[in-house]
Structures are given as C-alpha cells and as structure tokens.
Amino acid sequence: MKSGSHLEKVLTAGHFAVTAELGPPKGGDAGVIRHGAAMLKDVCDALNVTDNQTAVVRMSSVAACAILKQEGVDPVLQMTCRDRNRLAIQSDILGASALGIRNILCLTGDHQKFGNHPTAKNVHDIDSIQLVQMVKRMRDERKFDCGEEIQGELPFFIGAAANPFADPYEFRPIRLAKKVKAGADFIQSQAVFNVEKFRDYMARVRDMGLLEKVYFLAGVIPVKSVGMIRYMKESVAGLDIPDELVRRMENAEKAREEGVRICVELIQQIREIPGVRGVHIMAVAWESIVPRIVEEAGLLPRPVASTGPTQGE
Amino acid sequence: MIIGEQKPLEEIKELIGDARKVLVAGCGTCVAVCSAGGEREAQILASALRLAFQVDGNSREVTEATVQRQCEWEYIDPLAEQVAESDVVVSLACGIGVQTLVERFPEAWIVPGLNTTFLGMPQEQGIWVERCQACGQCILGVTAGICPIARCSKQLLNGPCGGSHDGKCEVNPDIECAWHLIYERLRKLGKLELMLRFQPAKDWSVSRDGGPRRIVREDLRVLPET
C-alpha cells in the first residue's frame, strides 16, 4: 500500500471503483463542500476536488479537500501546473499531507484564456508528467525536486489524467505510457462518449502492458441538456461525441432523463471493457444527479475499505 | 536585436550525431553583430568541427554557408541545394532562423548551434544586455523609457522591492536595479509623479502567456487567407 487511501484500498482489493468530481464554491463558505460531501459520501469511493477548474477562481483545492476529510470523505486533490511554480506545488503537497490528504491528481490545467482571468500570467514551470515524477520522488525517495531531503513520509496515491480522444490520436497511448513510467498509480480519463474508439484505445494501452501497472478509471459526464451536448460536441477540444447521442438528446421528451439514461448505459458498456478498473463521474454543476447514476448503473452499495470484491464484481 | 551565444562544441557534436554531411549555416544579421553566428563564426565552427572529427578518427564532410537573414524565406532559398545534400544543418541563427529553415525545408534535419539568449543591445565591446521581453504591450511611456519587465528580476510595476541596494539588484551585483534607474531618471526630468501612480496588473494575454502570437495586417496582405 503506497498511501493507504480509501481509493487505493478499494482498487487494490479488486473492486470496480467509483469516483466523482466536486467543484469548490466561488466563495469562502465551507457549507457548500459539506453539503456535497453529505450528498456523495455513500455513493463514491473518493471525491475529486477541482483546482480552479477551467481557470475560474474557486476555493483552494487543498482547503476543500481538508473539509472533505473532516466529513469522512476520501478526497482526491487535483493539482494543476498553471497557477503554481515548483516551490508552491511542493509546499502545497506538504500541507496536503499534513491535512491527511492521500490522493493527488496531477494535471496541466486549462489555459487561463478560458477562465475568468484571461489576462493573467500562466506558470507552467513544470508539466503534468514532471509533476507525477516529482510527487513520486517526494514519496519514494523523500526528496524535493532540488534533491534536498524531506523529513517524514508523504504517502500519496498518485494519479494522472488521460485523454484517449485528443489528437494526435496515435500518440495518446504513448503519452499515457510516459505518465505511468513517471510514477502514476491511477488514471482518471477524459469523458468517454465514443465507446468504440475508447475500446480501441484500451486495447492498444493493454497491448503496451500499461494496465498491469496502473489502475485505469474511465471518465463520464452526465449531460443535462441539448444545449450542453451540442456545446461540448462543437466547442470542447478533446471530446468525441457521436452524432447519435446528440440526436437522442434532441429527440428526448425529457432531456435530463435521457442524459441520465445515456450516462448509465455508457458506464455499463465501459465496465465491460477489459482493464477498466473504475468510473470517474464528472457531473459539472450537476453533482446531485450522481447518486442516481451510481445506483442505476448497479454500483451500489460501495465497498467498505477492507473487504474483497463482492460476488459478481 | 536578437542576442545569441554559441553552444559548446561538445553539445553541437552530440546534436550532429552520426550525420556524415554537415552544413553549418550562418546568419548575417543580429547574430553576426553579436559575433555568435555570422559568416566568420560559421567558418570557425566548421573548422573546429572538421578538426574535432579528424581527432575522433571519423571523416565527415563539413561545409558552411551564410545568408544575409535566416528568418526570411527569400533569403534562405539559395541554400536549398546545399541543405538537400546535407544529412544535418547546424543553424547558427537565432531560434527564429532555425525554424524558418525547418518550415522551408521540411525534409531536412536542422539543429541549433546557438542558444538564443535575449533581445538587447551591445553595451560596450564584448558586453550585451537585455532590454525587451516582447511582452506585447509597451509600458516604456510610463517608466521613463526603462523596461522593468525585461530589467527587473521580479518584473515589478510599482517601484523597487526591498532587494534594491546601492542601485543594484540583490539577485546579482552586476544587475542594475531597473526601478532605481527609473526613479533617478524621473527625478532628474521632473516627472516623479509618474511613479506615484498605481500601476494595475498587466495584461499578459498579449504576451507569451496568451499563446503564440500573430499579427495580421489586411492592408498589406496580397495572398488570400488559407
């Protein structure tokens, strides 16, 4: 066990893991986080806290993770390279460890152009793969990036993102291999809508022998409206949304219901793909739908940490 | 102008690798003026490489050619034949020249022989100093013509930090404190009120932070947009 986090225990015990995303508030009220925790605690194994997601300023992910800890949730600290240099990143990692945070997801970060401070400088002192390696070195060798020694342990379960659909498509498994080699223990992928393409990607990743070295959690996004799926199809780079899904949303009597149905179906299909060890539900500004999706996808009850997989898992 | 500094010979040799035919391409503009990559430096580097390869006991063919400017296609077109015959081209231009060659000769393997260091000027024989960071929105009009973006180690916009000592920057005694210079100049010219103004956070979207930049002048274009 590298970190002893609940997520790590669930995955190493062989369960199909469920994680979800919680966006911190655009304000200083801890109540929003506590409310999210109460809502999602029993339907997820761990909760990701986004780090100024889409470059919009929100409550610090370290602080929000600490609040989740208090609420009995296993948090996944999302850490981007956009807003911090290597000094700030390392000091935040020390702080996160002190607060009992055990999972970290290492990300590049969305460009600030898409956020609410488009004239800001971006940092990108190191990139996400270098960050993975840095955290691994901090944990395993107890060394800072500069080589100086760190006092005490930093037990982190190290995560990285993967986008199976971005261009150049052929390069994507290679980039994943670099992240695994750098030290990623688990992967949370970009949202899957095109299951065929994802299956092909996973086959290539499997052939490269990566799935023996990393726990792969596939991302899904429940779609709330026709406008949302159209927007994601047309304007969000790195998403691959088949026309059929857009048509289903357009023709549905109740778009939200169809969105839930699609999400549940996607989870069920993705789960059948060899090597997928869990699902990561990114219900952007629609966290309240997560319990229903997890239930309808047949993923309840969630395992208690120390037990092995239940029958049928 | 663009200031560059030649890479160590060992590094250049490493970049050349196993290539048999080497073309050293000099540039006759900025990097010639700063004695890093002009005709003379191209000749010297080519000779040094020939000698080094001889010492290493493997024969290579090293030639050199210098153009007026490596950063414009029309100036590098005459190199086409020599580039095509080479296994590797060591460009002694700045990073712009290297990439101009790459874009014009996509089949060729081009490596840099210089480190492009900064935008600046010669201060005296043998000394070059940085003066501009191409931040995209010039503030020299309010900083007495002295750029704190290029010359202050912290890129401050509202006066010197606590690390200013005797007109020098704490980072290195060879660095003049840009804000000390600005202060002195404003004082002498009776414009100190400029320094009392609060300078708001800069718009970095027009700098490197906003992504690679491009200027389109419709009044000057002759080709249709592709």
Side-chain angles (χ1 to χ4, degrees):
Chain A
M1 202 64 61
K2 286 165 173 167
S3 69
S5 77
H6 183 62
L7 178 62
E8 184 181 9
K9 285 178 189 161
V10 166
L11 284 166
T12 50
H15 297 287
F16 186 81
V18 176
T19 59
E21 199 171 87
L22 187 67
K26 287 164 106 170
D29 179 10
V32 181
I33 304 289
R34 296 195 203 282
H35 175 71
M39 194 166 61
L40 300 172
K41 191 173 157 176
D42 297 327
V43 300
C44 303
D45 305 314
L47 261 184
N48 282 50
V49 179
T50 53
D51 178 16
N52 290 336
Q53 179 185 7
T54 63
V56 171
V57 178
R58 289 169 181 277
M59 183 189 288
S60 113
S61 51
V62 175
C65 281
I67 298 165
L68 284 183
K69 260 319 263 196
Q70 292 169 357
E71 299 300 306
V73 172
D74 184 29
V76 179
L77 172 70
Q78 296 201 178
M79 173 81 70
T80 73
C81 301
R82 180 194 56 231
D83 307 331
R84 304 171 184 84
N85 67 8
R86 62 191 93 179
L87 280 82
I89 289 175
Q90 290 177 104
S91 84
D92 276 356
I93 287 169
L94 300 185
S97 178
L99 290 163
I101 298 162
R102 294 288 169 258
N103 310 296
I104 182 169
L105 183 71
C106 305
L107 303 166
T108 305
D110 299 317
H111 195 275
Q112 72 277 9
K113 185 193 166 193
F114 305 105
N116 60 358
H117 290 75
T119 63
K121 256 189 200 177
N122 54 24
V123 182
H124 300 297
D125 180 25
I126 56 172
D127 65 26
S128 58
I129 299 178
Q130 292 159 349
L131 175 57
V132 167
Q133 194 197 45
M134 188 162 91
V135 184
K136 183 182 162 63
R137 212 164 153 232
M138 291 173 82
R139 180 191 68 195
D140 295 347
E141 297 173 37
R142 295 195 197 176
K143 285 205 167 114
F144 287 113
D145 191 51
C146 63
E148 274 176 27
E149 255 172 67
I150 297 171
Q151 289 164 358
E153 288 187 23
L154 290 174
F156 277 104
F157 195 42
I158 305 170
N163 190 333
F165 310 102
D167 292 323
Y169 178 63
E170 302 300 319
F171 178 70
R172 293 295 144 185
I174 299 169
R175 186 162 156 91
L176 178 64
K178 284 183 85 165
K179 292 191 176 187
V180 172
K181 200 175 172 199
D185 301 311
F186 70 97
I187 298 293
Q188 289 174 314
S189 85
Q190 173 60 286
V192 177
F193 287 100
N194 186 337
V195 178
E196 278 317 303
K197 202 166 175 184
F198 179 61
R199 191 174 285 127
D200 174 60
Y201 168 86
M202 287 303 284
R204 287 165 61 211
V205 165
R206 206 164 43 243
D207 289 346
M208 289 168 80
L210 298 177
L211 297 178
E212 286 115 60
K213 298 175 189 149
V214 75
Y215 296 102
F216 196 106
L217 279 64
V220 289
I221 297 179
V223 182
K224 210 172 180 178
S225 64
V226 179
M228 178 176 167
I229 199 163
R230 281 190 188 140
Y231 172 77
M232 289 198 302
K233 186 173 172 66
E234 280 151 30
S235 307
V236 180
L239 280 181
D240 184 323
I241 302 179
D243 291 329
E244 190 217 325
L245 293 185
V246 180
R247 268 196 303 276
R248 273 182 64 180
M249 287 299 290
E250 285 168 347
N251 296 335
E253 218 166 280
K254 286 182 180 162
R256 283 180 179 227
E257 288 299 312
E258 191 64 19
V260 171
R261 250 194 307 277
I262 290 172
C263 191
V264 169
E265 283 170 27
L266 285 170
I267 293 173
Q268 286 163 343
Q269 290 169 29
I270 288 165
R271 207 181 158 184
E272 297 304 315
I273 299 172
V276 177
R277 307 294 297 271
V279 66
H280 177 53
I281 306 167
M282 296 171 277
V284 188
W286 198 21
E287 283 94 349
S288 60
I289 199 62
V290 173
R292 197 182 140 194
I293 289 170
V294 178
E295 186 179 6
E296 289 184 16
L299 297 169
L300 288 181
R302 297 311 310 148
V304 181
S306 51
T307 59
T310 49
Q311 264 192 329
E313 252 193 298
Chain B
M1 66 182 184
I2 296 165
I3 312 294
E5 211 173 7
Q6 223 175 83
K7 284 180 179 290
L9 191 65
E10 274 312 307
E11 188 183 341
I12 295 175
K13 276 173 67 186
E14 208 169 292
L15 287 168
I16 290 170
D18 297 328
R20 311 300 306 171
K21 291 182 176 176
V22 183
L23 172 65
V24 177
C27 174
T29 306
C30 310
V31 293
V33 181
C34 67
S35 302
E39 188 170 20
R40 203 167 60 94
E41 291 75 29
Q43 285 166 355
I44 294 169
L45 177 65
S47 307
L49 284 171
R50 276 184 216 110
L51 201 66
F53 289 135
Q54 223 168 38
V55 170
D56 295 348
N58 49 21
S59 67
R60 318 263 192 129
E61 193 183 302
V62 184
T63 54
E64 77 262 9
T66 298
V67 295
Q68 180 65 41
R69 273 213 285 283
Q70 262 187 49
C71 59
E72 281 189 67
W73 284 347
E74 60 175 292
Y75 286 93
I76 60 171
D77 279 344
L79 289 179
E81 214 167 290
Q82 278 168 283
V83 169
E85 283 167 6
S86 310
D87 299 325
V88 66
V89 179
V90 179
S91 166
L92 285 188
C94 67
I96 306 164
V98 176
Q99 293 177 74
T100 310
L101 287 175
V102 164
E103 284 177 43
R104 198 57 161 176
F105 307 120
E107 306 294 322
W109 188 247
I110 322 272
V111 298
L114 289 196
N115 292 319
T116 307
T117 324
F118 51 78
L119 305 181
M121 63 170 206
Q123 195 173 46
E124 61 174 72
Q125 181 78 23
I127 297 180
W128 292 270
V129 286
E130 180 163 20
R131 288 294 177 259
C132 179
Q133 286 235 328
C135 75
Q137 196 175 53
C138 193
I139 53 165
L140 287 169
V142 292
T143 59
I146 294 163
C147 181
I149 302 301
R151 299 178 66 179
C152 166
S153 304
K154 296 177 180 174
Q155 301 193 320
L156 299 180
L157 285 173
N158 284 290
C161 71
S164 178
H165 182 70
D166 253 354
K168 301 292 181 189
C169 172
E170 64 177 350
V171 170
N172 184 329
D174 293 336
I175 303 173
E176 285 174 298
C177 169
W179 276 105
H180 189 97
L181 295 173
I182 294 167
Y183 171 76
E184 286 298 336
R185 193 166 141 78
L186 287 173
R187 193 173 56 82
K188 274 182 200 148
L189 299 180
K191 290 180 189 292
L192 262 181
E193 77 278 0
L194 277 173
M195 239 176 124
L196 295 177
R197 274 195 218 163
F198 171 76
Q199 289 297 335
K202 198 167 156 59
D203 176 0
W204 291 102
S205 68
V206 293
S207 186
R208 188 271 324 158
D209 305 83
R213 291 165 281 176
R214 180 173 186 245
I215 290 174
V216 180
R217 284 272 307 269
E218 289 302 341
D219 57 328
L220 296 173
R221 301 189 66 195
V222 288
L223 294 173
E225 180 100 23
T226 50

